[in-house]
Amino acid sequence: MYDIAVIGGGPAGLSAAVQARVRNKSVLVVSGDDRDNPLRKTQRIDNYLGFPQVSGQELLDRFQTHAAQMGAEQKTGRVLNIMSMGDTFYLSIGSEMEQARAIILATGVVWANKYPGEVELLGSGVSYCATCDGMLYRNKEVVVVGKAADAPHEANYLQELGCKVTYVSDKDPDGLRPDIPFVKAPKVEILGEGRVTALRAGSTTIPCEGVFILRPSMAPADLLPGLAVENGYLKVDRNMSTNLPGVFAAGDCTGLPLQVSKAVGEGLVAGLRAAEYLDQLQA
Ligand SMILES: Cc1cc2nc3c(=O)[nH]c(=O)nc-3n(C[C@H](O)[C@H](O)[C@H](O)COP(=O)(O)OP(=O)(O)OC[C@H]3O[C@@H](n4cnc5c(N)ncnc54)[C@H](O)[C@@H]3O)c2cc1C
């Protein structure tokens, strides 16, 4: 059991982790594949105080090293669900589970809209986790919709498990097994009445029983039901508290401006306030 679980290993999450460690709280930072982090794709940042013309990669490396040196544990994985039970939060990370007493959401912005049929067929053929649900589709046709950097790897895993995989993405996959057919399509639609029967990718319809949608990030409100959202961003007060006790948020997920300095500052506040929240619980 950790004192604080931080979801998202960008500037906001790592800043929150450092501050929480300063307050001597145990911290787990869970984040998706590093290649998907927006800072890794940013060639040059000119407006982060004290670091003129730094590359996003260098800045992120420094943030990660700092958080690690402060004793924050960092884990790669996709948080799929957070459940609150009493004073404890249970996090599903792929097929693993972790526990924490407070949560800091630092998931960045989620640009992708849901696909037609995704919400209706979630749990009835639509899955976000190959490791959790792959076994259900052995010897069956499945489609992997690859948005995240680790999606080709997950598709390979499903194929090795015995699923008959087709990979669909708007980008050419890196590292996909040559025996997995690839369909390039920017838009998909999931078809089926009550259960998945096919996926339409552009002009191609692929019959299948399972669809694995692998995105780099998930909308926080999907992770934790009941979170208040305003204009598409998480609603927080000046303490970075959300409407749910013990749940804080920081960075791009709370709104404009979408900038590193703002993410770092909000992360600091969230880390400190989460630590104070835990101290009050204990008192
Ligand atoms: C091309 C580009 C150029 C930019 N240039 C600048 C600039 O010059 N100056 C500037 O200040 N800002 C710039 N930005 C914006 C800056 O990158 C963001 O404001 C900043 O990264 C936000 O930090 P964050 O921690 O809130 O979120 P992010 O950095 O987006 O980090 C969020 C992390 O959470 C992870 N995550 C999300 N959901 C889950 C989940 N369910 N489970 C596990 N992990 C999850 C994601 O994988 C991601 O790694 C730029 C952005 C881009 C894309």
Side-chain angles (χ1 to χ4, degrees):
M1 163 91 88
Y2 292 88
D3 291 327
I4 298 172
V6 180
I7 324 302
L14 293 169
S15 170
V18 166
Q19 297 310 320
R21 286 297 303 140
V22 168
R23 292 297 174 103
N24 213 23
K25 302 301 174 200
S26 60
V27 179
L28 174 68
V29 181
V30 189
S31 199
D33 192 300
D34 220 26
R35 291 169 289 177
D36 288 322
N37 196 298
L39 272 192
R40 289 256 175 258
K41 300 172 188 161
T42 307
Q43 291 210 326
R44 212 176 86 175
I45 294 180
D46 283 328
N47 63 345
Y48 190 68
L49 189 64
F51 290 82
Q53 300 186 4
V54 68
S55 73
Q57 180 131 348
E58 185 189 342
L59 202 54
L60 189 61
D61 285 342
R62 283 172 173 265
F63 290 161
Q64 286 175 339
T65 305
H66 190 176
Q69 282 169 350
M70 293 296 289
E73 282 186 44
Q74 296 177 48
K75 182 179 191 127
T76 301
R78 216 177 256 109
V79 177
L80 299 170
N81 185 33
I82 304 171
M83 255 183 331
S84 160
M85 275 161 62
D87 290 338
T88 304
F89 294 93
Y90 295 82
L91 291 83
S92 311
I93 308 163
S95 56
E96 293 173 33
M97 188 74 90
E98 294 286 0
Q99 296 174 41
R101 276 188 272 269
I103 298 287
I104 298 175
L105 297 164
T107 50
V109 269
V110 180
W111 300 107
N113 288 328
K114 296 241 165 54
Y115 298 117
E118 178 179 342
V119 174
E120 299 82 343
L121 295 166
L122 185 62
S124 302
V126 172
S127 167
Y128 298 133
C129 178
T131 322
C132 319
D133 297 332
M135 283 300 272
L136 301 172
Y137 296 96
R138 274 187 116 164
N139 303 317
K140 294 179 181 167
E141 304 280 348
V142 302
V143 175
V144 170
V145 181
K147 303 297 284 182
D150 66 347
H153 178 263
E154 296 297 280
N156 294 349
Y157 162 75
L158 288 169
Q159 184 87 343
E160 281 150 23
L161 211 60
C163 304
K164 296 169 194 160
V165 180
T166 302
Y167 189 88
V168 175
S169 180
D170 52 353
K171 285 195 242 62
D172 291 336
D174 188 9
L176 188 70
R177 280 170 57 132
D179 58 339
I180 298 179
F182 167 52
V183 177
K184 193 165 191 167
K187 286 190 180 151
V188 307
E189 185 181 349
I190 301 152
L191 307 175
E193 292 287 328
R195 274 218 74 81
V196 168
T197 53
L199 178 131
R200 191 174 295 139
S203 57
T204 313
T205 299
I206 308 159
C208 61
E209 292 183 50
V211 174
F212 290 87
I213 302 172
L214 304 178
R215 295 192 179 95
S217 53
M218 307 233 334
D222 288 343
L223 297 178
L224 193 48
L227 270 178
V229 173
E230 201 171 53
N231 302 322
Y233 296 105
L234 289 179
K235 196 173 171 187
V236 287
D237 63 16
R238 282 191 59 84
N239 291 324
M240 308 319 294
S241 305
T242 68
N243 61 313
L244 302 179
V247 182
F248 301 79
D252 282 5
C253 63
T254 70
L256 302 172
L258 309 180
Q259 293 282 284
V260 177
S261 304
K262 182 248 190 197
V264 167
E266 286 190 357
L268 173 141
V269 178
L272 291 179
R273 295 297 178 239
E276 281 170 14
Y277 162 82
L278 292 174
D279 291 342
Q280 281 162 10
L281 268 191
Q282 228 172 11

